[in-house]
Amino acid sequence: MPLPDGTDELARSASGGDAAALDALLVAVRPEVLRLCARLLPHREDAEEACQDALLALSVGISRFEGRSSFHTWLYRLTANRARSTYRVLRRRWLVEAHGVPLPEVPDPRRTSVIAGTRLDLLDALDAVRPDLAEVVTLRDVLGLDYREIAALVGVPEGTVKSRIHQARQQVRQRMSDG
């Protein structure tokens, strides 16, 4: 689902300090941010929490939006990073609340959908690889950005992006097959 028309203009105005533009931007992008978070996190409540985190990060960080990439691409990066961060926070919280009882290695199929289990496995695998690798493979394979967009977003050549994605896929594949 693309962002509504006029989103790039709102982002430029908001990055310049226009509070009304920021409010309108947050309303305009919320459905897409929630959809992206739901692609990563298996439970709606977790996706909603990540969405709120992403929207807060957007409102705090919009002044750093430089326009090197499209706002859409910048938003995808921010959202993917907040969703992965929310997952790590939720995982740590669960460990504390469970008094150190580790998370089950394999999701219980009676309580977890196949898709949710796969996403949890993927998030665990992404959490175990270098952040620069996890970021590019998430942007490519989960959120569907093209190599050129990712290169502009992370500030490295397209060949480096392809190399990182290749490395990340190998490491994620290995982590998921070890589980």
Side-chain angles (χ1 to χ4, degrees):
M1 175 191 334
L3 294 174
D5 289 340
T7 303
D8 286 331
E9 293 80 22
L10 283 174
R12 278 192 291 282
S13 295
S15 72
D18 183 336
L22 176 59
D23 289 343
L25 180 65
L26 292 171
V27 169
V29 302
R30 187 183 188 289
E32 179 67 359
V33 170
L34 180 58
R35 186 185 73 78
L36 294 172
C37 289
R39 288 181 73 179
L40 279 164
L41 298 162
H43 302 291
R44 180 155 181 90
E45 297 82 15
D46 298 343
E48 288 172 354
E49 185 170 332
C51 176
Q52 291 305 313
D53 288 347
L55 293 174
L56 178 61
L58 184 149
S59 64
V60 170
I62 190 66
S63 64
R64 292 189 302 275
F65 174 63
E66 301 167 349
R68 275 190 307 145
S69 59
S70 72
F71 174 73
H72 178 265
T73 303
W74 184 83
L75 179 66
Y76 270 38
R77 180 185 195 188
L78 181 142
T79 301
N81 288 336
R82 295 312 311 156
R84 287 181 27 242
S85 177
T86 297
Y87 173 73
R88 285 191 297 273
V89 168
L90 292 170
R91 190 168 202 263
R92 279 193 303 274
R93 186 183 309 156
W94 191 90
L95 289 171
V96 167
E97 290 172 0
H99 306 292
V101 174
L103 288 168
E105 288 302 314
V106 178
D108 182 346
R110 294 170 297 179
R111 296 188 180 166
T112 308
S113 74
V114 172
I115 292 170
T118 303
R119 281 191 242 163
L120 292 173
D121 293 342
L122 176 61
L123 286 165
D124 282 339
L126 287 170
D127 208 27
V129 301
R130 281 190 351 232
D132 60 327
L133 300 180
E135 180 178 38
V136 294
V137 81
T138 300
L139 291 170
R140 176 71 182 155
D141 292 348
V142 179
L143 301 183
L145 297 183
D146 66 36
Y147 296 115
R148 183 182 43 74
E149 288 177 304
I150 297 168
L153 193 57
V154 299
V156 299
E158 212 173 302
T160 303
V161 168
K162 290 177 181 179
S163 173
R164 287 180 183 175
I165 289 171
H166 177 73
Q167 289 176 40
R169 285 175 178 160
Q170 285 183 316
Q171 290 179 24
V172 164
R173 200 175 298 122
Q174 179 65 42
R175 296 260 183 207
M176 290 180 76
S177 68
D178 288 347

